[in-house]
Amino acid sequence: MERHVLTLDETTCRRRTSVKWRAHGEDVLPMWVAEMDVLPAPSVAEEMERITRDGDFGYPVPADYLESVARWYRDAGAPADPGRMRLVPDVMTGVQAAIAALTDPGDPVYVTVPVYPPFHSVVRAAGRQLVAVPLTPTGRLDVPALSRHFAGDPGRGAVLLSNPHNPTGTVPTATELASLAETARTHGVGIISDEVHAPLVLPGASFTSITAIPAAERALAVLSAAKGWNLAGLKAAAVLAGPGSAGSLTGVPEDLGHHASHVAMRVQSAALDDGRDWLADLVADLDANRSLLQELLADLPSALWSPGEATYLAWLDLRGTGLGEDPAAALLGRGRLALNSGLPFGAGEGFARLNFAASPEVLQEGVRRLASVAGA
Ligand SMILES: Cc1ncc(COP(=O)(O)O)c(C=O)c1O
């Protein structure tokens, strides 16, 4: 199938100076960190050009950016309002601030493993107790297990969600989030929902923000345009509360917003407001790549994958390859293919994460390298 935006060839990408392309030698194909092989959305490129032309590199006026985030959320069915938001420099700083706002030192913070490795480190660095609660075998939130944990240590702590989930690509349904919110409310546990992958929900699933769930009374969400529009180098994000959880924002300091970048906010607004057609093209390409990866892996029975509902991340079960607990190490050494090791995600022994936000040619070459080691 023809691609609209995931068309960049490897040589063009190798001109980049970002970590995806610089961490390894030229002979290594990088399919690891969450950067996409795309050129910017037209609205993003135009805003960058305007900023450069006008020398518009000063300090920010946050209101416009927060309005853009609110519009995006309202279009996604969540009742967002800039009055219930805080500007922060990036998503993980927002998560850190939300942990500080909703929990006290020593409190449990529940993470649903396997999950984005900085979730583990941010909880530990905050002096909170990291409690890993595995996803179900199909990669979904295990609400009964979380509920048992909450009941065993009521009145404190918070659960930290990746919604959609990195690395499995699952998207919690409104029903799952409502039952999680009910039990969290019953047991006095907060909810933090990292929603940075929300723009990347693929056909077949739909996104629900925690801020749209009435029972989520002590809850905060965090969003930026960094993943959807591939803008990780442009730092700005928002922490937001729902209509019934505005009090949760009280502990998020307003002055964190001083560390966000004016250029980032302008460009992210151009993405959120005027980059929707480009995003639709990207989502169509990711959907096509999801199918292509499934087809390619069908010829490699030792690599198992349950295709996700969102993101461009594939959580590969390589336990059948005989490559041990860290297959990514063998694939890098012998196959010159860089994936993310499953180990730092928790519950990731024998797994690796593959980034399929690439052209079909790069994806085919990646799976060829995978097969050359894993199929041997
Ligand atoms: C779930 C999740 N949260 C946060 C981030 C990073 O966001 P930021 O760079 O804005 O802190 C990523 C990056 O891949 C991610 O996957």
Side-chain angles (χ1 to χ4, degrees):
M1 190 200 282
E2 200 199 329
R3 299 295 189 275
H4 307 86
V5 294
L6 284 169
T7 54
L8 281 190
D9 61 84
E10 194 186 326
T11 311
T12 307
C13 291
R14 283 206 186 276
R15 295 205 297 262
R16 292 185 174 176
T17 56
S18 62
V19 68
K20 180 176 183 183
W21 294 93
R22 281 293 172 90
H24 304 99
E26 293 266 313
D27 63 327
V28 170
L29 190 66
M31 303 188 82
W32 61 295
V33 66
E35 295 179 17
M36 297 192 278
D37 298 355
V38 287
L39 291 176
S43 61
V44 163
E46 282 157 24
E47 185 61 3
M48 282 299 277
E49 278 167 29
R50 188 204 62 74
I51 289 167
T52 308
R53 187 195 63 221
D54 294 346
D56 190 7
F57 292 108
Y59 292 110
V61 179
D64 291 350
Y65 176 65
L66 296 180
E67 279 292 352
S68 300
V69 173
R71 267 193 295 275
W72 189 86
Y73 265 104
R74 285 197 291 267
D75 291 345
D81 179 333
R84 293 192 307 269
M85 289 186 186
R86 291 272 194 279
L87 178 65
V88 290
D90 57 28
V91 171
M92 286 314 296
T93 307
V95 167
Q96 186 182 21
I99 291 172
L102 295 182
T103 68
D104 289 318
D107 279 0
V109 175
Y110 307 95
V111 298
T112 58
V113 293
V115 77
Y116 181 56
F119 276 26
H120 302 247
S121 45
V122 75
V123 172
R124 290 202 185 94
R128 272 59 173 175
Q129 182 199 334
L130 181 80
V131 181
V133 183
L135 297 170
T136 68
T138 54
R140 308 211 65 85
L141 287 178
D142 191 339
V143 178
L146 285 161
S147 184
R148 283 193 295 278
H149 279 281
F150 300 168
D153 196 356
R156 64 192 197 124
V159 55
L160 173 54
L161 304 179
S162 176
N163 170 21
H165 195 84
N166 171 0
T168 56
T170 39
V171 183
T173 62
T175 308
E176 287 168 331
L177 290 174
S179 64
L180 178 71
E182 280 295 341
T183 181
R185 179 169 67 179
T186 303
H187 299 295
V189 172
I191 305 177
I192 301 159
S193 181
D194 175 342
E195 301 183 347
V196 69
H197 289 281
L200 297 175
V201 172
L202 304 181
S206 64
F207 166 68
T208 308
S209 173
I210 197 67
T211 61
I213 303 290
E217 289 172 2
R218 280 186 61 234
L220 293 169
V222 192
L223 180 90
S224 84
K227 293 298 129 189
W229 286 266
N230 204 41
L231 302 173
L234 288 166
K235 295 268 184 180
V239 176
L240 60 152
S245 65
S248 305
L249 268 181
T250 313
V252 179
E254 286 203 35
D255 60 6
L256 275 179
H258 298 157
H259 304 284
S261 144
H262 169 60
V263 174
M265 277 185 250
R266 295 299 318 180
V267 174
Q268 287 200 23
S269 282
L272 290 160
D273 289 336
D274 302 318
R276 308 276 184 101
D277 290 347
W278 181 90
L279 183 71
D281 282 346
L282 170 72
V283 164
D285 284 2
L286 291 175
D287 187 23
N289 272 9
R290 175 172 63 171
S291 301
L292 175 60
L293 182 57
Q294 215 176 349
E295 279 166 33
L296 295 169
L297 291 177
D299 294 332
L300 186 57
S302 59
L304 301 178
W305 179 46
S306 303
E309 302 170 294
T311 81
Y312 46 80
L313 305 167
W315 184 239
L316 302 180
D317 178 352
L318 302 176
R319 287 175 295 182
T321 61
L323 295 174
E325 69 166 16
D326 189 11
L331 292 166
L332 179 61
R334 296 184 355 230
R336 313 313 285 156
L337 173 67
L339 305 184
N340 282 90
S341 166
L343 298 178
F345 290 80
E349 290 81 6
F351 285 76
R353 192 190 73 175
L354 179 145
N355 171 347
F356 61 82
S359 69
E361 293 74 23
V362 168
L363 188 52
Q364 273 153 351
E365 174 59 14
V367 175
R368 194 194 64 72
R369 293 185 190 210
L370 175 65
S372 74
V373 178

